[in-house]
Each structure stands twice: as structure tokens, then as C-alpha cells.
Amino acid sequence: MPLLSRIALPAGMIGPISPDMSDIAPKLQDFMPGGPLAGGNADSRKDLMGLTRSELTAEMEAIGEKRFRADQIFNWIYFRGVTGFDEMTDISKVMRVRLAELYRIGRPEIVTAQVSADGTRKWLLRLADGNEVETVFIPEPGRGTLCISSQVGCTLTCSFCHTGTQAWVRNLTAGEIAGQVMMARDELGEWPTPSDDRQVTNIVLMGMGEPLFNYDNVKAAVDLCKDEKGLNFSRRRITLSTSGIVPEIRRAGAEMQVMLAISLHAARDDLRDILVPINKRWPIKELLAACRDYPSLSNARRITFEYVMLKDINDSDADARELLRVLEGIPSKINLIPFNPWPGSNYGTSDPDRVQRFGEIIRNAGIMATIRRPRGSDIAAACGQLKSESQRVPAWKQRGEEHPGA
Ligand code: SAH
Ligand code: SF4
């Protein structure tokens, strides 16, 4: 079965488009990732990166160690950021040697590190199996946001998104997701976990991939980020962005309690079906019902609705008013994102005046609207520009076998 059925928009098709695509709409199972593919990895030691506190405790118990050993190691890994057992000075030498024989503390390998003229940094990271993902750091006065990836590629095919043109390869593990935060701390010299004056103050799951299609690993990584004795980020400083996987939004509300961002981009189903095709499975009404039910919403804790501004597609005054209508009653803030073009993209960026006017209509109705300044566009680090060269390797090839049909 093909991994996903791509809905290809004819080249240059950027006008209002509303053909009935239901007959070619991908089935839900086409979107659902199976599981990580095992990659070739020379180091057979178990990687402790990404093990939660309870998993690390279980691991230590399994090798006959006391529970407190897990607390020590947890502190060294996630609070102090060490990558070698030799540095764990409160553990006996003999024990350190034993641990190093059994385990490693992995970090993604940095392939390239780029710094934009505006200070934005982008890292291309190689994972243990050779796949690649990108992580972006956006410094601003008083805060620094780290944008992390949750999958290699994406199963979804939002028509304005560069990542959407790359086939889904695999889910990232919890260690690979949290590892991006740890890599950034390595690079920015932020160990041990700082209590104040941090550079990375906020984490957004807005890089490559749909985080709610990798729920368990994202949850484990979020738990690691939230752990006060580890990476120590407040749940209010972690934002998960989703294209709208309704059942998992409800689950995340109950279990993760992070801030939520919804990639809405259109207030009408006919248009959203084309921009964000998963809308055919969970249309706007169902999506917004889950948003209304998201726990502990208030004026201080609002849902962010992301709205990419596409010239002559979704940026009229009528579109702004429709947006206000559908969001009525939800504590919201709207993030207008001028479309970031990428090679081969078929959309245009709304004129700055149009974006301003759209924002004004929203603000005049008493709803907060911000316009996201494109950051790091000279190094293709802006929203939706992330794409790695990783391709899916079929299972038979990974096993070193011949093509099954050969
Ligand atoms: N898959 C998740 C998170 C990653 S995408 C999601 O869709 O929410 C992060 C944000 O970038 C989303 O709001 C997405 O719609 C937006 N985006 C994607 N491509 C873009 C582009 N070319 N220009 C501007 N924003 C884009
Ligand atoms: Fe995937 Fe998000 Fe891009 Fe859509 S916008 S293709 S869900 S990464």
C-alpha cells in the first residue's frame, strides 16, 4: 500500500478551488504512521536519551541497581546535560564503567548549523539511522523560542507547506524530540538547566511533522521538558501545533496540558479541505468543538489559531469576518503568518497592507491578532520551509533483501 495518497493540485492552481475531492480523499489509515523503522546503527548499547523518570527507574532495577541510581542519572542527563558516564562524579568508577558498557547517551549529530542575519539559528540534525530533521531557534527581546520537529516528513499534505511535499518517513522517538532541546542547550551553552536568564524560554512543536500523529513519543518528550528536576519548562511555555487531529486534541488536553495552537488557515470547509486536507476527516465544526472543550482556557490561556495569509485565497475582509464568526466564544488569539514561499510552491504571499487590514478587522472585534514576522527566511528557517532530504527506505531494503518482486 502506498504510504500516502497525495492530493496534487495542478501547477499554478491558486485561485478559489472547490472541486469535490471526496472520491480521491485519502483514507484515514493512509495518514496513520505505523511505527518507527529500525535503522542500521553500529553502536548496540541502549540509548538512555528519552527515557522518562519511570522508564529509567525500571531500567536500573532491571540491571539490579537501586532506584536512587536512576535519580542520579536522570539529574546528570537532563539537568546537567552530560553525555558521558565518566562525568557522573557521584557514581563510583566501577559503576560508571559498567554503565558505559551497557548504555550511551545519544545526541543528534549536527550536520549544519546556520545563523540568519536576524539571529535565527537553524540546525540540520542527523539521527542515528541517518534520517535528518531540522530545529530552529528564534531569539527575540525577552524570549527565545525553539521550534522542534516531531516526525521525519509528514503524513499530511497541506498544500502550502514544504514539509507536506516530503513523504512521511518515520516518527521521532521521545529521545530524538527532547534531544533537539538538549542539542540547543549544548549549542547555546545552557547547562546546567538555568533557572533564569535562559536563552531558550519557550518550546514550540511547530517544526516538521504532525505531533499528534506521534502522540506517545511527543507526550514522553513533553514530560521530560516539563520535569522540574530535568529540563524544567513550564507547561505554559510549551506549545503544540496541530493541523486538527480531533481525538488526540482531546487526549492532549487531558494528559499534556500544554498550550495549543491550531493550524486553521480557513474558516470555510470547502477551502480548508484544500489547504489542510485532514479537514475532510475532522471538519471545522468538530475541530472547534474540541477547542471549546480544551481544559483551563481563559483570557490568560488562549488557543492560538494560526492563519497563513495566502494572496487572493483566504485573505479577504469577508474571510476575516467569517473567521471571527466561527471562533466566537473560544478564548483565542490569531497568529497571521505571511505565507513563506518555497521552491515550487503555487501560492502567493498576501500584500502587507492586506495582512494589516485583515488583522485590524480581527482586533476591532476585540480579538488579539499578531502578525508573525518572517524570521530566518535567508536560511529557509521560516514556518513551512523546513524539509529534509530524508526519503523513506522500504522495509525490504533496510533488511538488506532484494525487492520482493525481483
Ligand atoms: N504539523 C503541525 C505543526 C508543524 S507546521 C501543524 O500543521 O500545525 C507549523 C506551522 O507552520 C503550521 O501552522 C503550518 O500551517 C505553518 N506553515 C506551513 N507551511 C507554511 C508556509 N509555507 N508559510 C507559512 N506558514 C506555514
Ligand atoms: Fe504536516 Fe503541518 Fe505541514 Fe500540514 S502544515 S503538511 S500537518 S507539517
Side-chain angles (χ1 to χ4, degrees), residues 151 153-165 206-211 241-243 263 265 275-278 384:
Q151 298 182 315
C154 187
T155 53
L156 303 184
T157 53
C158 303
S159 50
F160 54 87
C161 174
H162 204 190
T163 310
T165 66
M206 289 188 188
M208 292 165 61
E210 168 48 60
S241 174
T242 177
S243 55
S263 293
H265 308 312
L275 300 181
V276 187
I278 197 72

Coordinates of all heavy atoms in Angstrom, one line a residue, residues 151 153-165 206-211 241-243 263 265 275-278 384, ligand 2:
Q151 N 8.4 14.5 13.5 CA 8.5 13.4 12.6 C 9.5 13.7 11.5 O 9.8 14.9 11.3 CB 7.1 13.2 11.9 CG 5.9 12.9 12.8 CD 4.6 12.7 12.1 OE1 4.3 13.4 11.2 NE2 3.9 11.6 12.4
G153 N 9.6 14.1 7.9 CA 8.5 14.3 6.9 C 7.1 14.4 7.6 O 7.1 14.6 8.8
C154 N 6.1 14.2 6.8 CA 4.7 14.4 7.4 C 3.8 13.5 6.6 O 3.9 13.4 5.4 CB 4.3 15.8 7.4 SG 2.8 16.2 8.3
T155 N 2.8 12.9 7.3 CA 1.9 12.1 6.5 C 0.8 13.0 5.8 O 0.1 12.6 4.9 CB 1.1 11.1 7.4 OG1 0.5 11.9 8.5 CG2 1.9 10.0 7.9
L156 N 0.7 14.2 6.3 CA -0.3 15.1 5.7 C 0.3 15.9 4.6 O 1.5 16.0 4.4 CB -0.8 16.0 6.8 CG -1.4 15.2 8.0 CD1 -2.0 16.1 9.0 CD2 -2.4 14.2 7.5
T157 N -0.6 16.5 3.8 CA -0.2 17.1 2.6 C -0.8 18.5 2.4 O -1.4 18.8 1.4 CB -0.7 16.3 1.4 OG1 -2.1 16.1 1.6 CG2 0.0 14.9 1.3
C158 N -0.7 19.3 3.5 CA -1.2 20.7 3.4 C -0.6 21.4 2.2 O 0.7 21.3 2.0 CB -0.9 21.4 4.7 SG -1.6 20.6 6.1
S159 N -1.4 22.0 1.4 CA -0.9 22.3 0.0 C 0.1 23.5 0.0 O 0.7 23.7 -1.0 CB -2.1 22.6 -0.9 OG -3.0 23.5 -0.3
F160 N 0.2 24.2 1.1 CA 1.1 25.4 1.2 C 2.3 25.1 1.9 O 3.2 26.0 2.2 CB 0.3 26.6 1.9 CG -0.2 26.2 3.2 CD1 0.6 26.2 4.3 CD2 -1.4 25.6 3.3 CE1 0.2 25.8 5.6 CE2 -1.9 25.2 4.6 CZ -1.1 25.3 5.7
C161 N 2.5 23.9 2.4 CA 3.6 23.5 3.3 C 4.7 22.7 2.6 O 4.4 21.7 2.0 CB 3.0 22.8 4.5 SG 4.3 22.2 5.6
H162 N 5.9 23.1 2.8 CA 7.0 22.4 2.2 C 7.2 21.0 2.7 O 7.5 20.1 2.0 CB 8.3 23.3 2.4 CG 9.4 23.0 1.3 ND1 10.7 23.5 1.5 CD2 9.3 22.3 0.2 CE1 11.4 23.1 0.4 NE2 10.6 22.4 -0.4
T163 N 7.1 20.9 4.1 CA 7.2 19.6 4.7 C 6.2 18.6 4.1 O 6.5 17.4 3.9 CB 7.0 19.7 6.2 OG1 7.9 20.7 6.7 CG2 7.4 18.4 6.9
G164 N 5.0 19.2 3.8 CA 4.0 18.3 3.2 C 4.3 17.7 1.8 O 3.7 16.8 1.4
T165 N 5.4 18.3 1.2 CA 5.8 17.7 -0.1 C 6.7 16.5 0.1 O 7.1 15.8 -0.8 CB 6.5 18.7 -1.0 OG1 7.7 19.1 -0.4 CG2 5.6 19.9 -1.2
M206 N 6.4 23.0 16.3 CA 5.9 23.6 15.0 C 6.9 23.3 13.9 O 6.9 23.9 12.9 CB 5.8 25.1 15.2 CG 4.6 25.5 16.0 SD 4.4 27.3 15.9 CE 3.1 27.5 17.2
G207 N 7.8 22.4 14.1 CA 8.8 22.0 13.1 C 8.2 21.0 12.1 O 7.0 21.1 11.8
M208 N 9.0 20.1 11.7 CA 8.5 19.1 10.7 C 7.6 18.1 11.4 O 7.9 17.6 12.5 CB 9.6 18.3 10.1 CG 10.5 19.2 9.2 SD 12.1 18.5 8.8 CE 11.6 17.0 8.0
G209 N 6.5 17.8 10.8 CA 5.6 16.7 11.2 C 4.4 17.1 12.0 O 4.3 18.3 12.4
E210 N 3.5 16.2 12.1 CA 2.2 16.4 12.9 C 2.4 15.7 14.3 O 2.3 14.5 14.4 CB 1.1 15.8 12.1 CG -0.3 15.7 12.8 CD -0.6 17.0 13.6 OE1 -0.8 18.0 12.9 OE2 -0.8 17.0 14.8
P211 N 2.6 16.5 15.3 CA 2.9 16.0 16.6 C 1.8 15.0 17.1 O 2.1 14.0 17.8 CB 3.1 17.2 17.5 CG 2.7 18.4 16.8 CD 2.6 18.0 15.3
S241 N 1.5 22.5 18.1 CA 0.7 23.0 17.0 C 0.2 21.8 16.2 O 1.0 20.9 15.9 CB 1.6 23.8 16.1 OG 0.9 24.2 14.9
T242 N -1.1 21.8 15.9 CA -1.6 20.7 15.2 C -2.5 21.1 14.0 O -3.2 22.2 14.1 CB -2.5 19.7 16.1 OG1 -3.1 18.7 15.3 CG2 -3.5 20.5 16.9
S243 N -2.6 20.3 13.0 CA -3.5 20.6 11.9 C -4.9 20.2 12.2 O -5.8 20.5 11.4 CB -3.0 19.8 10.7 OG -2.9 18.4 11.0
S263 N -3.6 24.9 13.4 CA -3.4 25.4 12.1 C -4.7 25.5 11.3 O -5.1 24.5 10.7 CB -2.4 24.5 11.3 OG -1.2 24.5 11.9
H265 N -6.2 28.3 9.2 CA -5.9 28.7 7.8 C -7.1 29.0 6.9 O -7.0 29.6 5.9 CB -5.0 27.8 7.1 CG -3.7 27.5 7.8 ND1 -2.9 28.4 8.4 CD2 -3.1 26.3 8.1 CE1 -1.9 27.8 9.0 NE2 -2.0 26.6 8.8
L275 N -6.7 23.4 1.6 CA -5.4 23.8 2.3 C -4.9 22.8 3.3 O -3.7 22.6 3.4 CB -5.7 25.2 3.0 CG -6.1 26.3 2.1 CD1 -6.3 27.6 2.9 CD2 -5.1 26.6 0.9
V276 N -5.8 22.3 4.1 CA -5.4 21.3 5.1 C -6.3 20.1 4.9 O -7.4 19.9 5.6 CB -5.7 22.0 6.5 CG1 -5.1 21.1 7.7 CG2 -5.0 23.3 6.6
P277 N -5.9 19.2 4.1 CA -6.8 18.1 3.7 C -7.4 17.2 4.8 O -8.4 16.6 4.6 CB -6.0 17.3 2.7 CG -5.0 18.2 2.2 CD -4.7 19.2 3.3
I278 N -6.7 17.2 5.9 CA -7.2 16.4 7.1 C -8.6 16.9 7.5 O -9.3 16.3 8.3 CB -6.2 16.3 8.2 CG1 -6.5 15.2 9.2 CG2 -6.1 17.6 9.0 CD1 -6.2 13.8 8.7
G384 N 7.1 26.4 7.7 CA 6.7 25.8 6.5 C 7.8 25.6 5.4 O 7.6 25.1 4.4
Ligands
SF4_2 FE1 2.3 18.4 8.0 FE2 1.8 20.7 9.5 FE3 3.0 20.8 7.1 FE4 0.4 20.2 7.3 S1 1.3 22.1 7.9 S2 1.9 19.1 5.9 S3 0.4 18.9 9.1 S4 3.8 19.8 8.9

